[in-house]
Amino acid sequence: MYLTKEQEKMLSGEQGETVERMFRLLVRLGEIYGADKMIPVSSVQVAGVSYKSIGDPGLEFLEDIAAKNTKVMVHTTLNPPGMDLLDWDKLGFPKDFAVKQLRIMDAFKKMGIMTTATCTPYLVGNLPHFGEHIAWSESSAVSFANSVIGARTNREGGPSALAAAICGLTPNYGLHIAEKRKPTLLVRVGVELKSNADFGALGYHVGKIVKDGIPYLKGIARAEVDQLKALGAAMAASGAVALYHIEGITPEAEKMAPSGIEAIDVGENELQEAYAKLNTGKEPDIIILGCPHASLKEIANLACKVEGRHMKKPLWICTSRTTKDTATKMGFTEIIERAGGKVVADTCAVVAPIEQMGYKTTAVDSGKAANYLPSFCKQQVVFKSLDDLLEGRTS
Ligand code: F3S
């Protein structure tokens, strides 16, 4: 791989031990994937933030980097931690967990990373433009950035994203190259998708089949942005989809029209099969919405649906702090709280230690959360549309 003189210096340790260590990781990645050179990135999203996911080794690693006064070189935002960073005590998060989680946040802050704490950075100030090279981890955000925005990123892991942030570079391979963004599977959708959950169920089904390929979906007449984030998140979870195209909707679809690739049909039966596979529980202890983190529009919609009601089960909607603040100013948080719900900031169903908080069966309208909750949080899952969940139609 070609390296500039400046990059050679990074590799030889002239810019300090941490830069050397981080750049070595990027070079190694580039060698594995056949990159020809390094390219600059303009933004990074770092995952691997929850103490539940990274534990003491991760905490020590981050504190070590922060203690060396290492700073990121580009605009860098952060994924959700394992708790609401302000209301963790009120919400019942364990204190020993909270202490470690706050140390992790401090370490990131010392590195100059914006502690946005959300998996939807594009809603809170980290919005790349079409064609921009970025290095994002968090699979749902990667999928959104590549597919809906048309920015270019590989599916980074936490360490490689952090390395890209510290070095301002990423190896040039995979989805950074136009040729590698062509579809590998044509998906003919022959069913009407009516809710975020339907988009999640479709995503779950397609992700299982296409794995780390690139699906090209035909037959989706319209999709709201929130539905696209639900679709991409589910495909990234059941498979490893980092980019999808939808005819007439996503920005690269027209020039990526498929020819001569394998095709599958998805109809009502396949959608119902996906629901059946993801539904492993019956009576939920709690309903958790906001995976990926809810937009202001989704919170407004929930407030509208629960206004004047009293929910029988605990209800959370997870979102970023920034979005929650606006929702509070608009009165949506109060409406949801009066109905017995909570607008939970920063964290989410999957990265929070909900199993330690006594919950055994969780209801969600997200294909991604439904896919991960059994393994990450030992939960049984009820996976339905928002309307079904709010009306208690859980089986
Ligand atoms: Fe985001 Fe958590 Fe879902 S990180 S995509 S809300 S699993």
Side-chain angles (χ1 to χ4, degrees), residues 45 47 79-81 118-120 122 138-141 229 233-234 237 288-294 318-319 346-352 366 368-370 372-373 376:
Q45 165 78 1
N79 233 33
T118 181
C119 53
T120 55
Y122 43 88
E138 171 45 42
S139 62
S140 70
K229 77 178 165 59
I288 306 186
L289 310 168
C291 171
H293 267 174
C318 299
T319 190
D346 310 317
T347 192
C348 81
V350 173
V351 298
S366 156
K368 174 173 176 176
Y372 280 155
L373 280 168
F376 280 51

Side-chain angles (χ1 to χ4, degrees), residues 15 21 73 100 104 120 150 177 204 215 237 257 291 298 343 361:
Q15 294 187 19
R21 205 163 137 207
M73 293 198 31
K100 302 264 177 105
I104 291 172
T120 55
I177 297 165
Y204 172 79
C291 171
E298 289 175 301
V343 179
T361 303

Side-chain angles (χ1 to χ4, degrees), residues 49-52 80-85 93 97 101 346-348 351-353:
V49 179
S50 172
Y51 177 67
K52 176 174 161 177
M83 63 184 197
D84 185 310
L85 295 167
F93 285 86
F97 183 93
Q101 185 64 71
D346 310 317
T347 192
C348 81
V351 298

